[in-house]
């Protein structure tokens, strides 16, 4: 990438974000907040969990993002009989009587982990090292994954038959937990109109792998003031019932709070959110804008919260 000043680079990222959103909009109707969260997680070098009922175009969204970003894409359908070797690969005995490693589908830029909660914890754990270390270990040998690398996972919240809840350690690897809702009446009309005719929308490629890595580095280099840093860390501390910052309401409504990874993601997400909105440094509003999808899967509600019908989002909103 050619050398640019930080301001020019930030403007270039904002422009690229607008182009990517426009291309995705040719295929995905509505879901603006979802698309924004997926793109922020990519530019922040994070992973994203998409939670929604069937038929809301979760898989189509991930495929479209991979096309627009000109990245290698693999889809792994998670099933109860999926084995770790089906994800990371396995060693086979070659014709020369030596073992050689055959790479699995995780060796790609974008992994769609479809219905990730349909596979047992042993297989879910196969993704843990890949998501955190960007590498996999097989037979004592560590293999680096291609960069950039993202896991975009989907989960169905209503069908609990034959599902395994994601372990907290696995959930914590995801930067965002994005809730997809039904489209509005007008959006659904447009979806039906666009998908039941003979024309298929074509999307153009906007960025390549090298440019994405460049913009990820740019996001990390965005300056952030001390008061915004303190606000983010204090917001996360407030979710911990045992913390000195936790209000009495939190001690009653939460059993467990978010860990330090949440604070890191809040700042990275706020930096990216600031840049795509034309700012060169994040403020408190940027932290709040990304807080719900970052915190909602990192807090454990108490019996009182469930009895009162309070969602994780309700409790986070009170913390603002």
């Amino acid at each position: 990438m050619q050398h640019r000043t930080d301001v020019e680079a930030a403007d270039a990222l904002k422009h690229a974000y607008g182009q990517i959103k426009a291309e995705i909009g040719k295929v995905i109707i509505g879901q603006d907040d979802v698309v924004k969260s997926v793109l922020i997680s990519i530019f922040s070098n994070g992973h994203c969990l998409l939670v929604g009922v069937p038929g809301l175009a979760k898989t189509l969204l991930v495929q479209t993002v991979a096309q627009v970003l000109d990245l290698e894409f693999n889809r792994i359908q998670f099933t109860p009989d999926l084995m770790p070797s089906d994800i990371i690969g396995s060693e086979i005995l070659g014709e020369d009587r030596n073992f050689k490693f055959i790479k699995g589908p995780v060796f790609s830029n974008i992994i769609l982990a479809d219905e990730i909660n349909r596979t047992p914890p042993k297989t879910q754990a196969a993704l843990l090292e890949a998501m955190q270390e960007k590498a996999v270990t097989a037979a004592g040998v560590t293999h680096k994954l291609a960069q950039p690398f993202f896991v975009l996972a989907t989960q169905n919240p209503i069908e609990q038959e034959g599902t395994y809840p994601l372990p907290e350690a696995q959930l914590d690897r995801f930067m965002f937990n994005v809730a997809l809702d039904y489209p509005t009446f007008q959006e659904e009309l447009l979806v039906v109109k666009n998908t039941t005719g003979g024309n298929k929308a074509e999307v153009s490629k906007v960025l390549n792998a090298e440019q994405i890595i460049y913009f990820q580095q740019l996001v990390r280099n965005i300056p952030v003031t001390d008061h915004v840093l303190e606000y983010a860390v204090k917001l996360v501390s407030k979710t911990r019932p045992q913390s000195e910052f936790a209000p009495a309401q939190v001690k009653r409504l939460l059993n467990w709070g978010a860990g330090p990874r949440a604070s890191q993601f809040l700042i990275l997400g706020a930096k990216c959110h600031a840049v795509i909105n034309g700012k060169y440094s994040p403020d408190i509003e940027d932290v709040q804008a990304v807080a719900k999808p970052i915190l909602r899967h990192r807090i454990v509600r108490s019996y009182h919260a469930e009895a009162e019908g309070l969602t994780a989002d309700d409790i986070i909103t009170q913390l603002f």
Side-chain angles (χ1 to χ4, degrees):
M1 296 292 297
Q2 71 274 33
H3 181 71
R4 300 171 176 163
T5 67
D6 288 346
V7 169
E8 286 173 338
D11 290 342
L13 174 53
K14 183 191 173 196
H15 178 66
Y17 170 79
Q19 285 182 296
I20 293 166
K21 234 177 152 213
E23 289 299 321
I24 293 172
K26 292 178 182 176
V27 178
I28 304 295
I29 308 297
Q31 306 286 19
D32 284 352
D33 287 344
V34 176
V35 172
K36 183 197 278 187
S37 293
V38 169
L39 294 178
I40 287 176
S41 73
I42 285 174
F43 288 124
S44 304
N45 203 5
H47 308 289
C48 200
L49 179 64
L50 305 172
V51 181
V53 296
L56 295 183
K58 298 186 293 292
T59 305
L60 180 62
L61 169 61
V62 178
Q63 289 172 331
T64 308
V65 168
Q67 281 180 299
V68 174
L69 297 180
D70 195 15
L71 295 175
E72 202 178 312
F73 165 76
N74 270 334
R75 178 176 185 265
I76 306 172
Q77 183 64 51
F78 280 69
T79 56
D81 59 351
L82 193 76
M83 297 298 288
S85 58
D86 296 329
I87 296 174
I88 63 174
S90 57
E91 293 221 311
I92 64 164
L93 193 60
E95 292 174 1
D96 58 357
R97 313 301 294 164
N98 288 323
F99 282 100
K100 61 177 181 178
F101 180 66
I102 303 298
K103 292 179 177 179
V106 77
F107 286 87
S108 193
N109 296 120
I110 291 188
I111 302 299
L112 168 57
D114 221 354
E115 295 194 273
I116 191 170
N117 58 335
R118 288 210 158 274
T119 200
K122 176 184 177 183
T123 307
Q124 289 174 8
L127 267 183
L128 280 176
E129 183 187 10
M131 291 171 72
Q132 184 62 25
E133 311 297 335
K134 308 288 170 82
V136 296
T137 303
V141 180
T142 300
H143 305 268
K144 287 283 179 196
L145 296 172
Q147 294 300 318
F149 174 77
F150 316 105
V151 174
L152 299 176
T154 69
Q155 189 175 320
N156 175 355
I158 55 170
E159 195 175 5
Q160 297 309 322
E161 185 84 16
T163 62
Y164 303 81
L166 290 187
E168 273 67 28
Q170 177 96 26
L171 275 175
D172 199 44
R173 296 294 197 281
F174 287 101
M175 177 176 184
F176 281 145
N177 175 334
V178 182
L180 283 83
D181 210 347
Y182 290 109
T184 64
F185 179 75
Q186 292 301 328
E187 286 170 350
E188 193 162 346
L189 269 180
L190 207 50
V191 168
V192 174
K193 184 179 175 184
N194 289 0
T195 55
T196 55
N199 295 331
K200 188 173 183 292
E202 295 292 328
V203 298
S204 305
K205 300 184 189 322
V206 177
L207 294 180
N208 58 30
E210 185 194 359
Q211 290 167 313
I212 292 165
I213 292 168
Y214 171 79
F215 283 134
Q216 286 177 339
Q217 196 54 51
L218 167 74
V219 167
R220 293 195 85 88
N221 291 338
I222 296 289
V224 56
T225 58
D226 285 348
H227 85 279
V228 173
L229 268 174
E230 285 171 16
Y231 178 81
V233 175
K234 195 173 278 189
L235 181 61
V236 173
S237 296
K238 282 181 183 177
T239 67
R240 302 168 188 158
Q242 68 276 30
S243 163
E244 59 181 301
F245 299 110
Q249 193 73 328
V250 160
K251 296 181 193 294
R252 197 174 70 84
L253 297 176
L254 293 182
N255 286 337
W256 204 252
R261 200 181 264 130
S263 303
Q264 295 169 327
F265 282 146
L266 273 180
I267 290 299
L268 278 173
K271 286 181 176 187
C272 188
H273 188 271
V275 173
I276 63 176
N277 284 289
K279 294 183 278 189
Y280 302 117
S281 180
D283 51 32
I284 284 170
E285 284 73 26
D286 294 303
V287 175
Q288 291 178 345
V290 296
K292 284 182 183 175
I294 287 174
L295 293 175
R296 66 166 63 111
H297 56 301
R298 292 183 162 88
I299 58 178
V300 179
R301 291 175 301 152
S302 70
Y303 166 77
H304 298 289
E306 292 187 17
E308 291 170 29
L310 290 171
T311 64
D313 284 9
D314 295 332
I315 298 168
I316 295 163
T317 304
Q318 289 180 21
L319 296 178
F320 292 161

